Amino acid sequence: EDKTIAVADFAQVRWAQRPELIHPLTGERYDLGQHGGLSDTDVGDLKQRSFDHFAHLLVRNDGATDFRKSALAFWRFGPEVREDDDFGKLGALWRLLPADTRVPDHSIWDHLDLTSAFAGAFAADLNGEAALLSLSIGPVQSFIEAARTTSDLWAGSHLLARLAWEAMKPVCEQLGPDAILFPRLRGVPQVDLWLRDTVGLPREWFASCDWNKPGTDANPLFSAALPNRFVAVVPASRAKEIATQVEQAVRGYLQKLGQTVVNRLLAEAGLGVDSEQHCHAQMRDQLAGFPEVHWAVVPFSLIRCRDQAKQRDLDVSALSAAMRPFFDAPGEPGFLSSPAWQVLQKDTAWDDRTTFFAPNPGVLYPAVYDLAERVMAAAKTARPFAQTQAEGWRCSLTGETEWLCTHEEQRHWNQNYRKQRGTLWTEIAKKKPAWAKKGEHLGALPAIKRLWPTLFAEEVRAAVGGDMQRFVVSTHTMALAGQMENWLGDGASVSQTTRVLMSKADSVALPRKLLRLAPAGSREAAKALPALLDAARELRETAFESPHQAQAAELQAKAMENAVRQTLGRDGEPARLETYYALLLMDGDRMGAWLSGGENYAISYRDSFHSKVRDGAQAHVEKHEDLKKYFNSKRALSPNRHLAISGALNDFSLTLARFVVEDEHAGRLIYSGGDDVLAMLPVMDLLAAMQQLRAAYSGVACPDAPFERARDIEMNQGFVRLTQRDGEGRAVPRLMRLMGSRATASIGAVIAHHQAPLGAVMRELRSAEKRAKNEGGRDAFSLTVIKRSGGDLRLTAKLTAAAGESPMTCLRELSAALRQDVGASRRAAYRIQEWLPDMPEPTQVGGAEPFRQMLASLLAQTFRHADKKIENIEMHVERLVSLCPTDSAKDAARFLGNFLSVAEFLARETRSASQAGGRT
């Protein structure tokens, strides 16, 4: 009895007195007591308030409860409690309330989602069996990168995310969105729209959602926010049927979309849509078999229980036999040979013979998931395809398929003949240049991508109302964004002459931050400034019939450019306009390992317990070898872990990535799904945005890149507290659990001229991201500067620093220091480049430390000779030298040359905070 009392004492947690959340991926403890602690809530009161909350979510039809709609309402809005100011508040913690206060590393919502997913799969199967379905669609990179404009780039990313949703929809319709373990779909705008308009949940429940507000493409519905793969729990007997339905649904959706595109093209060109034309058949043929769909199913029935009644005494012989072909090592394959399984496969008991742990089939989830991933990989290696025949000229964007034409013989027309005779595409170029530029003749997929912005804008307009127009921030506008931010901060004055010119130019889309900063009276002027430069370029590119007309056009173009320079200038001096912009590509490191839960990516069972339980159990654990092994072993992969990762990536991609790119900076989020981010930014915002995105991904504060809106965001130990305004203007705090301090990400970035071919820029961006992972060793960045004059610059270094200075911080601060005298700094950089190739080897000067001392002396001397005004140059030189590799003089020269050249490029006046606004 004494033992039982002792055990019960440390195993009981009064959570309101010692409130802590444990991060399931890192074991870090988030002490809620640091915010003043929590007050006890009466159980009866909490029960009543919870009952009232869910009672409000019951959906009734003709007085009877609609159980399907009510279940979906519980799933979607259960974690979102709305409370009056004078009511006892559950607050932001409601979303993360632990299911078990003794093991506070997963929320009650994770527990309910998982229970519902398995219960639904069991109920829908004749034999009460569940299976794990893993499915992906593709290809990804080639589809997105076939882009000539930022609109193409956005369309490819967004359309792929939409296809991902069309693939997930059959599972959601039959089993509910909680059946999908990864990605987590709660709060995804496209899923909300389905719940409202297809399922029929009350419209007023979605009134405060950001996506339900009319406006421009800042609406979250325009964000590509779903990855191209999912993992779901499905009924075992119907798994193949469901996978086949998914494949048919996603391909059927694209085929229907393709025919809509053909009909819109024909109608716009005035060529009639009353009858079948050759382009209809071309569209069907070119879309056949697209997208590729790969899937694998593993039934949980591979795990057998000798004691069926209690789901105990596990037999893994069938599971072992299924796994063995994928493993070469002798003995039990995969998870079945892991230390975790050696501990988990048998009962663990206290001294009084009370059972502490008894294994059930759930502990073998890691083996089932691993088998599904390996079967999926095997399925991808076999790529059957049907042979197709194409005889005519190819698509001018991809060069892979025939261009769409109204008559079969047109396929063989060359470019001159097309111009003389006219085609579908020559008419489109005249009447709808946003769909096709002059000379372009597109195939099926490029045609769909070109019309997707228009078609989706119409879809959103029908869903949320308003005059929804699809705009994509152009590279030209993004290049000017920093200078325009500074101009808006100075009052946004515009001369009367400039206003007259602006009236002749169209408006363009602006980054969301600029729209927020712009006073109501200056918004239209801000939209017209980049448009003036676009109009000037079009005038110069127009072929005029007489020299007099050409001369007049040139004078008008110069007047437009000068008006923009004068408007953005300071102290009566015209501004030098920035012509470079940045693209950023971020990808989480080793996501496969995080999802598979390997030994190096898991916390121990001991670390998952509340501090009181962990500390109190220590004395008992030390006396029992089996308990000690259990406490110290790494926690095995579980569905809850997938829900935790999915929830973290969901919060990052839907909320934090947008906050960093579009609220903190004047950027444009093109794609944000899971651990992937593709964004466009002004050059001056690039470095700070990279650091903040990396910090937000892990949920760990970055003092070197403080947030401008620091009062709205707090990051600590893998948790983020973000305060935003809801649809009614109220400040709503939200507590989110991110990937944690052990999770890292790598970033590739490119700085390019706004007229550089986008396809080439995207290829370099992919290369930069790969260099960050390979050459940088992950948790790194690789930055490429594609200079208009030639001679690309490339710099690869770590994003964070285990010890010493962060290379990113050093780059930002050195660049800021060099701005004090840009001309002198450029001279110093050139002089340093002259002597770098002649450096002796480290071995010739006595080793690494003397080599660094030599470099520091030479660098400081060169900078002092070029410009004595640069403050603390010795400090910057010391930092730079500490980062420099010392294995060879060649490596040191390459690193220093690239680092200094990039710093000097970023220091030029159009990227200066004093000239362009924003932060350094």
Side-chain angles (χ1 to χ4, degrees):
E1 184 178 354
D2 291 340
K3 292 178 182 177
T4 304
I5 292 173
V7 171
D9 179 62
F10 74 74
Q12 291 182 355
V13 176
R14 293 188 176 276
W15 199 69
Q17 296 177 7
R18 295 187 62 178
E20 71 176 15
L21 297 174
I22 296 176
H23 201 289
L25 305 180
T26 64
E28 290 177 303
R29 297 166 191 271
Y30 186 65
D31 183 7
L32 294 166
Q34 63 184 325
H35 296 287
L38 303 176
S39 57
D40 279 315
T41 300
D42 181 74
V43 173
D45 181 39
L46 179 61
K47 181 178 179 180
Q48 184 61 48
R49 288 155 62 192
S50 298
F51 180 84
D52 292 343
H53 174 56
F54 282 98
H56 171 71
L57 298 176
L58 282 173
V59 181
R60 299 182 183 276
N61 288 325
D62 299 325
T65 300
D66 187 319
F67 290 105
R68 179 173 183 267
K69 291 182 180 179
S70 296
L72 291 170
F74 285 6
W75 170 81
R76 172 59 182 88
F77 294 105
E80 294 186 6
V81 61
R82 295 177 67 94
E83 301 164 312
D84 298 329
D85 291 338
D86 59 349
F87 197 42
K89 289 195 173 185
L90 296 170
L93 184 60
W94 176 253
R95 293 178 71 245
L96 292 179
L97 280 175
D100 186 335
T101 57
R102 296 165 300 181
V103 190
D105 71 340
H106 63 286
S107 74
I108 186 65
W109 309 108
D110 295 337
H111 181 80
L112 292 173
D113 285 349
L114 190 58
T115 303
S116 177
F118 275 95
F122 291 147
D125 188 84
L126 294 175
N127 300 315
E129 297 286 353
L132 203 63
L133 169 64
S134 183
L135 187 144
S136 70
I137 64 172
V140 178
Q141 291 188 12
S142 59
F143 182 69
I144 294 176
E145 289 179 8
R148 188 160 288 165
T149 65
T150 51
S151 181
D152 288 346
L153 191 60
W154 171 86
S157 300
H158 192 271
L159 181 55
L160 188 66
R162 177 56 177 273
L163 292 176
W165 164 238
E166 294 299 326
M168 297 176 199
K169 197 191 306 186
V171 178
C172 295
E173 290 173 339
Q174 297 181 51
L175 302 171
D178 50 1
I180 296 180
L181 303 182
F182 179 88
R184 176 165 268 180
L185 298 180
R186 183 182 289 116
V188 175
Q190 193 68 53
V191 181
D192 276 359
L193 197 61
W194 169 73
L195 289 170
R196 191 194 72 173
D197 294 350
T198 302
V199 174
L201 295 188
R203 298 179 70 88
E204 59 269 19
W205 290 357
F206 300 91
S208 62
C209 294
D210 287 343
W211 61 263
N212 203 17
K213 304 294 186 295
T216 65
D217 60 354
N219 187 307
L221 282 167
F222 285 103
S223 293
L226 286 172
N228 68 314
R229 58 163 298 189
F230 68 84
V231 177
V233 179
V234 299
S237 62
R238 296 178 53 202
K240 182 178 179 181
E241 172 193 345
I242 290 173
T244 303
Q245 290 174 354
V246 167
E247 183 175 322
Q248 292 172 346
V250 68
R251 290 179 178 173
Y253 172 82
L254 191 60
Q255 283 284 1
K256 183 178 179 181
L257 178 63
Q259 295 305 308
T260 299
V261 166
V262 169
N263 289 333
R264 290 292 293 268
L265 288 169
L266 291 171
E268 189 67 34
L271 298 176
V273 294
D274 297 332
S275 60
E276 173 90 359
Q277 301 196 42
H278 185 64
C279 45
H280 288 98
Q282 284 180 302
M283 180 64 75
R284 283 193 295 270
D285 293 343
Q286 292 182 24
L287 293 181
F290 189 90
E292 297 174 5
V293 180
H294 302 282
W295 56 271
V297 172
V298 176
F300 284 91
S301 59
L302 290 173
I303 307 166
R304 297 166 182 166
C305 300
R306 298 183 181 93
D307 184 350
Q308 287 289 341
K310 296 183 178 180
Q311 289 284 291
R312 295 289 186 266
D313 195 7
L314 304 180
D315 178 1
V316 298
S317 57
L319 179 61
S320 176
M323 296 175 67
R324 188 162 287 111
F326 297 97
F327 295 87
D328 296 328
E332 291 292 346
F335 177 75
L336 299 180
S337 64
S338 68
W341 174 240
Q342 306 312 310
V343 172
L344 296 176
Q345 64 180 309
K346 55 187 178 181
D347 290 1
T348 304
W350 294 107
D351 256 355
D352 59 0
R353 300 185 182 278
T354 302
T355 299
F356 171 75
F357 171 82
N360 61 32
V363 301
L364 285 162
Y365 179 83
V368 174
Y369 175 77
D370 186 29
L371 181 56
E373 289 296 290
R374 291 174 184 273
V375 175
M376 167 79 86
K380 287 184 176 181
T381 60
R383 302 181 63 182
F385 62 92
Q387 184 174 349
T388 58
Q389 183 175 351
E391 299 178 355
W393 290 89
R394 298 296 192 262
C395 168
S396 54
L397 183 59
T398 65
E400 295 177 354
T401 59
E402 294 177 348
W403 58 275
L404 302 179
C405 52
T406 53
H407 300 285
E408 189 173 359
E409 65 273 11
Q410 291 179 351
R411 298 179 301 164
H412 304 287
W413 290 2
N414 61 30
Q415 189 172 2
N416 290 331
Y417 205 54
R418 294 177 217 163
K419 188 185 298 184
Q420 294 170 10
R421 298 289 300 274
T423 66
L424 166 65
W425 294 104
T426 58
E427 291 301 310
I428 292 296
K430 294 175 186 176
K431 299 177 180 180
K432 201 77 171 180
W435 291 357
K437 303 300 181 185
K438 186 178 179 180
E440 284 188 326
H441 285 67
L442 304 178
L445 283 172
I448 292 175
K449 288 169 65 174
R450 281 294 170 82
L451 269 68
W452 181 246
T454 301
L455 296 176
F456 188 72
E458 293 172 356
E459 186 178 319
V460 175
R461 187 160 59 243
V464 304
D467 186 21
M468 179 68 68
Q469 299 294 327
R470 170 62 195 152
F471 296 108
V472 177
V473 177
S474 69
T475 56
H476 200 173
T477 304
M478 186 57 64
L480 285 177
Q483 291 171 297
M484 291 180 65
E485 183 180 344
N486 185 71
W487 167 69
L488 290 169
D490 287 344
S493 61
V494 181
S495 69
Q496 186 59 37
T497 303
T498 302
R499 288 191 181 276
V500 172
L501 289 171
M502 284 178 175
S503 65
K504 301 177 182 179
D506 295 328
S507 295
V508 301
L510 291 179
R512 188 164 70 173
K513 184 180 182 181
L514 295 190
L515 285 173
R516 190 179 71 247
L517 292 176
S522 304
R523 202 162 289 173
E524 292 306 314
K527 291 180 178 181
L529 276 177
L532 279 177
L533 298 181
D534 292 337
R537 185 181 61 206
E538 289 176 6
L539 282 171
R540 289 194 170 103
E541 293 176 353
T542 302
F544 293 97
E545 296 180 357
S546 68
H548 177 72
Q549 291 176 326
Q551 186 177 13
E554 177 61 27
L555 290 174
Q556 188 176 5
K558 285 184 177 180
M560 291 177 173
E561 291 176 346
N562 289 334
V564 176
R565 290 192 178 98
Q566 290 291 343
T567 301
L568 297 181
R570 280 183 168 180
D571 302 325
E573 292 293 325
R576 290 183 59 188
L577 300 181
E578 174 64 281
T579 56
Y580 286 84
Y581 74 101
L583 275 174
L584 173 154
L585 180 63
M586 174 177 168
D587 183 52
D589 293 330
R590 294 189 170 93
M591 187 50 59
W594 280 108
L595 287 170
S596 62
E599 284 282 308
N600 296 327
Y601 297 88
I603 64 174
S604 66
Y605 285 95
R606 177 197 302 273
D607 290 337
S608 65
F609 285 104
H610 188 282
S611 298
K612 182 184 178 186
V613 178
R614 179 197 60 188
D615 298 341
Q618 186 63 39
H620 299 273
V621 168
E622 290 297 329
K623 300 176 183 178
H624 307 286
E625 192 60 31
D626 287 345
L627 278 170
K628 188 175 182 180
K629 287 181 180 178
Y630 173 86
F631 267 59
N632 292 333
S633 65
K634 296 289 185 167
R635 191 166 183 173
L637 177 68
S638 68
N640 261 324
R641 179 185 175 87
H642 279 167
L643 289 175
I645 293 174
S646 182
L649 297 181
N650 202 11
D651 284 336
F652 171 72
S653 61
L654 289 178
T655 304
L656 290 176
R658 178 178 286 267
F659 178 82
V660 170
V661 174
E662 298 188 355
D663 291 334
E664 275 288 299
H665 303 284
R668 183 74 172 92
L669 202 61
I670 296 173
Y671 173 81
S672 181
D675 61 321
D676 294 327
V677 173
L678 175 60
M680 184 165 52
L681 290 148
V683 173
M684 53 177 291
D685 284 350
L686 175 64
L687 301 186
M690 291 166 74
Q691 286 187 291
Q692 289 179 354
L693 279 172
R694 169 64 184 86
Y697 179 75
S698 295
V700 178
C702 179
D704 293 339
F707 284 90
E708 189 176 280
R709 300 168 63 180
R711 289 181 299 178
D712 295 336
I713 188 168
E714 174 190 345
M715 291 189 286
N716 186 21
Q717 294 174 298
F719 294 86
V720 174
R721 183 183 176 92
L722 179 67
T723 302
Q724 292 180 301
R725 299 284 172 179
D726 65 6
E728 300 172 4
R730 298 181 301 183
V732 179
R734 183 177 179 186
L735 185 62
M736 294 171 281
R737 183 179 60 203
L738 279 300
M739 286 294 292
S741 60
R742 292 174 55 194
T744 63
S746 298
I747 300 178
V750 172
I751 297 173
H753 193 275
H754 70 87
Q755 291 182 334
L758 188 59
V761 175
M762 283 301 300
R763 287 192 293 274
E764 180 56 42
L765 183 63
R766 293 287 179 190
S767 297
E769 188 252 344
K770 290 178 181 177
R771 284 198 304 272
K773 289 185 179 291
N774 299 329
E775 296 178 18
R778 294 184 172 86
D779 196 16
F781 73 94
S782 185
L783 173 60
T784 299
V785 179
I786 304 177
K787 299 171 72 174
R788 183 72 166 167
S789 57
D792 297 350
L793 306 175
R794 290 186 176 89
L795 175 63
T796 302
K798 289 291 184 182
L799 269 167
T800 58
E805 299 290 344
S806 160
M808 177 65 77
T809 301
C810 290
L811 179 62
R812 290 178 59 201
E813 295 185 357
L814 176 60
S815 178
L818 297 182
R819 286 178 186 145
Q820 297 171 21
D821 189 336
V822 175
S825 299
R826 187 178 300 184
R827 289 194 301 273
Y830 289 155
R831 290 174 183 172
I832 290 170
Q833 295 280 8
E834 290 177 354
W835 55 255
L836 277 177
D838 299 324
M839 290 190 301
E841 292 294 329
T843 54
Q844 294 177 304
V845 295
E849 191 54 37
F851 183 74
R852 285 197 176 96
Q853 292 175 1
M854 178 195 71
L855 284 178
S857 176
L858 289 172
L859 289 170
Q861 184 179 8
T862 306
F863 273 115
R864 280 195 296 269
H865 285 171
D867 184 3
K868 297 181 180 180
K869 298 179 183 178
I870 300 179
E871 298 178 0
N872 298 321
I873 191 60
E874 287 80 6
M875 178 194 69
H876 293 294
V877 166
E878 183 178 345
R879 288 177 168 181
L880 180 57
V881 170
S882 70
L883 299 172
C884 182
T886 56
D887 294 335
S888 70
K890 183 178 180 181
D891 291 342
R894 183 187 302 112
F895 176 82
L896 289 173
N898 287 336
F899 201 102
L900 288 168
S901 296
V902 170
E904 183 273 321
F905 179 88
L906 295 173
R908 296 180 188 178
E909 66 176 312
T910 55
R911 289 147 220 139
S912 165
S914 62
Q915 292 292 325
R919 78 198 88 203
T920 58

